[in-house]
Amino acid sequence: MPQDLAAVAERHLRRPGLVVVAGAPGSGRSTVLQRLAATAPGAVHTGGGLAMLTAVPALALSRAVRARLPGHDAALLAEAVRSRVRGGLLILDDLQYADPATLAALPPLAAHCRIAVALRTPHRLGDATEAALRNAATAWLTVPPLDPADAADLARRTATLDPGTLDAVVTRAGGNPLAIVALARHAGTGRSAAGADIDQVAYAIAAALADLPRPARTALAALGLLGRPAPAALLGPGSADLLAAGLAADTDAGLQPTSTYVAETAAGLLDAAARTDLHRRLAQLTAPAEAAHHLAAAGDHPAAHRAALQAADRTTGAERAALLLFACDLPGITADARVRLAAADAALAAGRPHAAARVLSTGGPLGVEADVLRGEALLQAGDPAAARHAVQPIPDAAAPAVTAARDRVLLLADLATDPDLATDTADKINARHPRPTPGLAAALAAVRAAHRTPGWEDDLACAAADHSDPLIARWSAWQLVEHLTADARLTESAAAARAAATTCAADLAYSWQTRFTAAADFAAALAGTTAIGEPEPDPDPYAFPATTDPRTPETRPEPADTLHRRAADLTDRTLPPDAHGYAAAATALLEADAGLLAAARARLTDLTDHPAAAWVAREAAWLDGQPDRTAPPGTGRGGLLTGLHHITARWAAHDRGTTAPAAIPTGVPAAARRTLTAWATGTGFTAAADTWAGTAIREQVRCLLAAGTHEPDPARAVAALLAAEQLADTAGLTVLAGRARRGLRRHHIHRDTRGPRSGTHLTGRETDVLRLVAAGEPTRRIAGQLGISTETVDTHIRAAMRKLGARTRTEAAALAFTHPDAQPPREDRR
């Protein structure tokens, strides 16, 4: 049975995925994992949860990869594990004891790594955690009981039994391997079996433990209380008997129980006084962090409090936050105000605002500093009304630093709930704080940015450049990037995002770094790229040159291939949701514009909640000639993406032959408003195209296409279509260029830009055709996307096959992109 289940798991893990092996105690979950590890090709990384250390962040994964991991950031944790596991196999036992950081990292990690875990049932994982694991799991395998024949075979190998006793053991064990072994050993001594109404697993274990000498039972109970392997010296004189009985194995980490459930049962059989004494003894022999948990289990909460504080002083980050929160939550302990403040501060830094707010909400009044910190925590937790209520009692007579922090919370709470009121609040705060603190200055800059007060860009840039508080600086930089993108200032947005990504990389702030990098790639993809040319190779594709002004635009567009390679590589990493949305949107937009429409749409299947990805999904459907799948735009929050949603909806309605709503959303950039006005009136598309020049090439092309469609004067229509074709060809907008050529054919102008004869080199058009062949597109769709006839497509394919010596179109596509010498010269790549 374990062999069969291991084979099933192996088949599911031939590619990245998560397999959960679930089952009752003693059912053979760990055996399945061991067999899977024994037959797995490549490296195997084995770890798991520990019962007494479930609060230690990332412990289960740290044990597997043998490295200290960043438990404060789930995305960074998953990426750190991915970079170590790579093509190997990650195995985690006892998932029911895994820490929250490990549980949070498993779903995103399963998209990139092969993972097998064992989960004892029943368990105490929360419903949301189990649902996330089930959604991420490739397979959820439940270990079945042994069939009677296998159960009898296991019992015979365990002890010599007469047929009647053998049948009784098999019947009473119910197919549980652990119960079979224990009952068979017990029956082999000649003692009577338990009654049918007794829990056979528990009885079997109790019977097996009764045969052990007392020191061995104590050592096994100690392993159960520790929840991890331990050296023989710590366990005492019973270690040898455990090894002899096969109840423990000697590993590099120390003695490990053969079955954690048996060890826990041994601990559970201790009377209360014996269990307390054992916990106290273990507390004396373990490090302060572990000792704190043993002392708490022994009921000595004051000593546990002291040990937790001692351990917190020796560590940092998420582990320090967990220890301080543990110290504050101990029953009967009223933690000192300074400890609660330290716990809340550490929890906020570790990204746990709800825990920070909770620890400051109990234990009576803690002073104005605690009120400010609680307000900040509630603000970060997404409850601006509660944040405002928390800081309102703070008087103006409080220390300047406290009133500045209070006013920051009040201002950002107003901005979240009533932006107009935030302007009045900002005026009062400016009068009260002529020299605001960095945090307050960032909040004031955010209000000015929301209302586009002149100079708002410089205010946010200054706040982003002040690194006295890195979190506030990153938040300010993100505000700057998003507002610049919303205003269609794409090259400035990309430059600001890249500068911020560089700073975050230096600070090892992975989640922020990837968010800025992805936003920069999306802004660059939307602004426009060059279709040809390769820059000098960058030693680090995620390192961007810092500039004095983070909004300094680049001097020239980036080549599409380089941008696509970087954005696609980013999507292969474990990312926070915002970063993943922007990276996928950038990659899919470049693919869709190049004609790789099936790949683009598949990339965006599960990302419709992200605003950038949602628009690109609709745009790809329109480019693919499926306007019926272009969902109507919502009201939106204004900004460039709202405008683009409405522009795409106008094009979709035009292609369907229906009338789109003429209403123009508020808060969109001037170029988008000018374009939507042209759609509403049927004129002015050429002027609208001019407003996109230097901002977004593809939108400039779309306006020219609309001009060619709506212009009644044939000469002007042709001029607009020729301009659209030239711009689209230069920027590598294959589908839009094909649409321009289709428009020109309606005016009896055929624009099959073949390029000069190139000997053994492919022409630019042949390369475009083979790229779409490689993407699996049929001839008809290639012709439609490139704006040429199906006969011309076949001509290009035959010419390419002849030059490459290929026998099939598929072989030609493969050869074209594996042999650089076959690529056309730069001057021929139109």
Side-chain angles (χ1 to χ4, degrees):
M1 179 276 301
Q3 295 95 321
D4 295 341
L5 211 60
V8 173
E10 190 276 331
R11 287 197 294 272
H12 283 291
L13 291 174
R14 289 173 182 170
R15 58 180 58 86
L18 171 66
V19 170
V20 179
V21 180
S27 59
R29 305 177 318 278
S30 299
T31 302
V32 173
L33 294 189
Q34 290 165 8
R35 293 186 183 279
L36 187 60
T39 59
V44 178
H45 306 267
T46 305
L50 299 177
M52 287 299 292
L53 298 176
T54 57
V56 179
L59 177 66
L61 290 169
S62 295
R63 294 178 64 207
V65 299
R66 305 293 189 268
R68 190 177 182 88
L69 296 171
H72 66 286
D73 186 324
L76 177 55
L77 171 61
E79 178 61 18
V81 174
R82 184 199 69 82
S83 66
R84 289 169 170 83
V85 174
R86 296 187 181 274
L89 176 64
L90 175 63
I91 287 183
L92 299 180
D93 203 352
D94 289 324
L95 195 67
Q96 69 275 6
Y97 297 135
D99 55 278
T102 293
L103 294 170
L106 283 179
L109 191 57
H112 306 280
C113 296
R114 298 182 300 130
I115 310 170
V117 303
L119 175 64
R120 182 196 300 171
T121 55
H123 56 75
R124 295 183 180 179
L125 301 182
D127 292 342
T129 300
E130 182 178 354
L133 289 172
R134 285 188 178 274
N135 288 336
T138 308
W140 193 286
L141 308 177
T142 300
V143 182
L146 292 178
D147 61 42
D150 289 336
D153 181 62
L154 177 59
R156 290 191 199 94
R157 287 186 277 114
T158 303
T160 303
L161 305 173
D162 61 72
T165 304
L166 178 65
D167 288 343
V169 166
V170 171
T171 300
R172 294 179 187 278
N176 185 288
L178 178 62
I180 293 168
V181 170
L183 287 172
R185 285 177 177 170
H186 183 68
T189 64
R191 281 176 269 182
S192 59
D197 59 336
I198 300 297
D199 182 340
Q200 297 301 314
V201 176
Y203 173 78
I205 294 172
L209 296 178
D211 294 336
L212 292 174
R214 183 179 182 84
R217 290 199 303 272
T218 302
L220 189 59
L223 284 173
L225 294 181
L226 284 167
R228 62 171 176 83
L234 187 150
L235 300 174
S239 302
D241 290 326
L242 287 184
L243 291 170
L247 292 172
D250 198 359
T251 69
D252 292 340
L255 262 66
Q256 180 172 336
T258 305
S259 166
T260 56
Y261 183 66
V262 171
E264 291 163 12
T265 302
L269 292 174
L270 295 173
D271 59 51
R275 191 179 305 110
T276 297
D277 287 343
L278 187 53
H279 271 301
R280 288 184 181 278
R281 195 184 76 168
L282 291 173
Q284 295 172 354
L285 299 172
T286 53
E290 196 172 354
H293 290 275
H294 285 297
L295 290 168
D300 191 350
H301 297 138
H305 182 78
R306 291 192 296 272
L309 296 183
Q310 181 184 1
D313 286 341
R314 299 179 179 180
T315 189
T316 59
E319 190 171 350
R320 170 178 166 80
L323 286 164
L324 289 171
L325 291 169
F326 173 81
C328 292
D329 291 339
L330 286 166
I333 298 294
T334 302
D336 185 82
R338 291 172 299 176
V339 174
R340 290 188 179 278
L341 282 169
D345 193 45
L348 268 181
R352 300 177 61 183
H354 292 91
R358 175 182 53 78
V359 79
L360 295 174
S361 302
T362 56
L366 298 174
V368 292
E369 290 184 2
D371 291 339
V372 163
L373 199 56
R374 181 166 173 265
E376 183 69 30
L378 290 167
L379 195 64
Q380 291 188 25
D383 192 348
R388 183 190 294 111
H389 180 74
V391 301
Q392 276 177 336
I394 299 174
D396 290 342
V402 173
T403 57
R406 174 204 64 185
D407 290 346
R408 166 185 160 79
V409 173
L410 290 173
L411 183 57
L412 292 177
D414 285 349
L415 185 60
T417 57
D418 189 346
D420 292 332
L421 179 61
T423 302
D424 295 335
T425 305
D427 291 339
K428 296 173 184 176
I429 289 174
N430 270 321
R432 194 157 50 231
H433 300 277
R435 300 182 64 184
T437 62
L440 184 55
L444 289 166
V447 172
R448 287 194 282 271
H451 293 279
R452 297 302 191 270
T453 305
W456 66 267
E457 312 96 318
D458 297 324
D459 293 336
L460 276 179
C462 288
D466 185 345
H467 299 295
S468 57
D469 187 326
L471 189 60
I472 289 175
R474 292 166 198 155
W475 178 81
S476 300
W478 186 248
Q479 294 288 309
L480 177 62
V481 168
E482 290 218 305
H483 284 307
L484 288 171
T485 299
D487 287 357
R489 297 164 63 175
L490 296 173
T491 53
E492 293 177 82
S493 175
R498 289 175 177 176
T502 302
T503 302
C504 292
D507 295 338
L508 300 181
Y510 174 80
S511 287
W512 282 102
Q513 179 197 1
T514 54
R515 185 186 297 181
F516 283 118
T517 301
D521 287 345
F522 176 71
L526 187 52
T529 62
T530 57
I532 61 172
E534 292 290 340
E536 290 299 318
D538 192 338
D540 181 357
Y542 300 101
F544 298 100
T547 59
T548 304
D549 181 352
R551 292 174 289 117
T552 300
E554 297 178 320
T555 56
R556 62 184 179 89
E558 192 170 17
D561 289 347
T562 302
L563 182 57
H564 178 267
R565 184 166 55 249
R566 184 174 62 235
D569 182 52
L570 198 57
T571 63
D572 290 336
R573 295 174 177 244
T574 306
L575 303 173
D578 232 356
H580 186 56
Y582 274 121
T587 308
L589 182 60
L590 291 166
E591 289 171 340
D593 280 338
L596 306 177
L597 293 160
R601 297 183 67 183
R603 193 181 290 279
L604 300 169
T605 302
D606 299 321
L607 290 171
T608 53
D609 290 338
H610 190 277
W615 169 69
V616 175
R618 288 163 172 76
E619 180 72 2
W622 172 72
L623 289 170
D624 203 13
Q626 302 182 54
D628 290 336
R629 296 191 178 185
T630 303
T635 54
R637 298 178 299 174
L640 176 60
L641 286 172
T642 297
L644 293 175
H645 269 293
H646 281 265
I647 293 170
T648 299
R650 301 298 194 276
W651 271 110
H654 172 271
D655 289 357
R656 290 194 305 265
T658 60
T659 302
I664 299 174
T666 59
V668 298
R673 174 169 289 277
R674 190 78 175 267
T675 303
L676 292 170
T677 301
W679 275 103
T681 61
T683 61
F685 285 106
T686 304
D690 292 339
T691 63
W692 288 108
T695 298
I697 296 173
R698 68 181 319 280
E699 295 309 310
Q700 185 180 4
V701 170
R702 288 214 290 177
C703 281
L704 291 169
L705 289 173
T709 301
H710 290 80
E711 177 59 58
D713 182 347
R716 292 182 179 179
V718 168
L721 291 170
L722 288 173
E725 180 195 31
Q726 181 180 7
L727 273 175
D729 276 336
T730 302
L733 304 172
T734 303
V735 180
L736 294 180
R739 195 174 183 110
R741 280 187 276 277
R742 287 199 301 275
L744 287 168
R745 281 210 304 274
R746 285 194 291 271
H747 292 277
H748 308 291
I749 298 174
H750 296 275
R751 299 284 296 168
D752 182 13
T753 54
R754 300 190 178 196
R757 297 284 181 181
S758 54
T760 58
H761 288 292
L762 299 177
T763 66
R765 178 60 67 227
E766 289 163 357
T767 301
D768 291 339
V769 169
L770 290 183
R771 182 176 288 108
L772 295 175
V773 169
E777 300 286 10
T779 298
R780 177 184 56 79
R781 284 170 59 85
I782 294 173
Q785 291 172 33
L786 297 180
I788 56 181
S789 67
T790 56
E791 292 79 6
T792 303
V793 172
D794 289 336
T795 298
H796 287 311
I797 291 174
R798 287 193 297 270
M801 290 171 58
R802 183 176 63 255
K803 292 177 182 180
L804 295 169
R807 290 172 294 179
T808 66
R809 57 190 276 157
T810 303
E811 183 183 1
L815 290 172
F817 300 108
T818 54
H819 294 282
D821 290 344
Q823 296 298 309
R826 287 175 181 262
E827 61 272 14
D828 189 39
R829 294 286 305 276
R830 293 190 56 183

